């Protein structure tokens, strides 16, 4: 599915996506309504590899926050890791899924 949304992140100045590129995850937030998360688990059979991808994403996020908000990159990284840890400890909260286990 192609997304044509006015608030989508522009890919114009990013890496060149080739025919071999695949989107693994997409995350949207709606003010006051939580998050919408899509994951194509069929692309990465080993969930550990998804964990590596999330770690890489977190490191990129720390760099982005540091540059955008004039923060120390290490402090931004620690804040993100603290948020991940706090959210993972809240395992008793329920998440709602539209499709369990697959996109297709």
């Amino acid at each position: 599915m192609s997304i044509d949304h006015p608030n989508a992140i522009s890919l114009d100045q990013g890496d060149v996506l080739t025919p071999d590129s695949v989107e693994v995850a997409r995350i949207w937030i709606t003010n006051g309504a939580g998050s919408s998360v899509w994951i194509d688990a069929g692309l990465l059979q080993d969930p550990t590899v998804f964990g590596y991808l999330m770690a890489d994403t977190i490191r990129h996020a720390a760099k982005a926050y540091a540059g955008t908000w004039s923060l120390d990159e290490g402090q931004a990284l620690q804040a993100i890791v603290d948020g991940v840890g706090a959210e993972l400890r809240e395992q008793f909260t329920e998440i709602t899924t539209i499709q369990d286990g697959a996109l297709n």
Side-chain angles (χ1 to χ4, degrees):
M1 172 183 102
S2 164
I3 187 146
D4 221 0
H5 191 282
N7 295 323
I9 295 171
S10 172
L11 300 178
D12 293 341
Q13 301 298 316
D15 286 340
V16 175
L17 299 178
T18 71
D20 294 328
S21 300
V22 292
E23 187 172 46
V24 175
R26 180 172 286 182
I27 305 165
W28 286 78
I29 59 168
T30 302
N31 191 15
S35 62
S36 296
V37 179
W38 291 266
I39 299 168
D40 190 345
L43 297 173
L44 300 171
Q45 184 176 4
D46 183 351
T48 303
V49 176
F50 187 80
Y52 298 152
L53 179 62
M54 290 296 93
D56 190 40
T57 301
I58 288 169
R59 291 181 61 220
H60 282 280
K63 186 174 274 308
Y65 272 90
T68 300
W69 298 101
S70 300
L71 301 172
D72 175 77
E73 188 176 328
Q75 289 175 325
L77 177 63
Q78 188 60 58
I80 293 168
V81 169
D82 290 346
V84 169
E87 188 67 15
L88 287 174
R89 283 191 294 277
E90 297 292 326
Q91 290 299 307
F92 60 86
T93 60
E94 185 176 327
I95 61 171
T96 303
T97 60
I98 295 169
Q99 287 181 291
D100 287 333
L103 289 176
N104 301 338

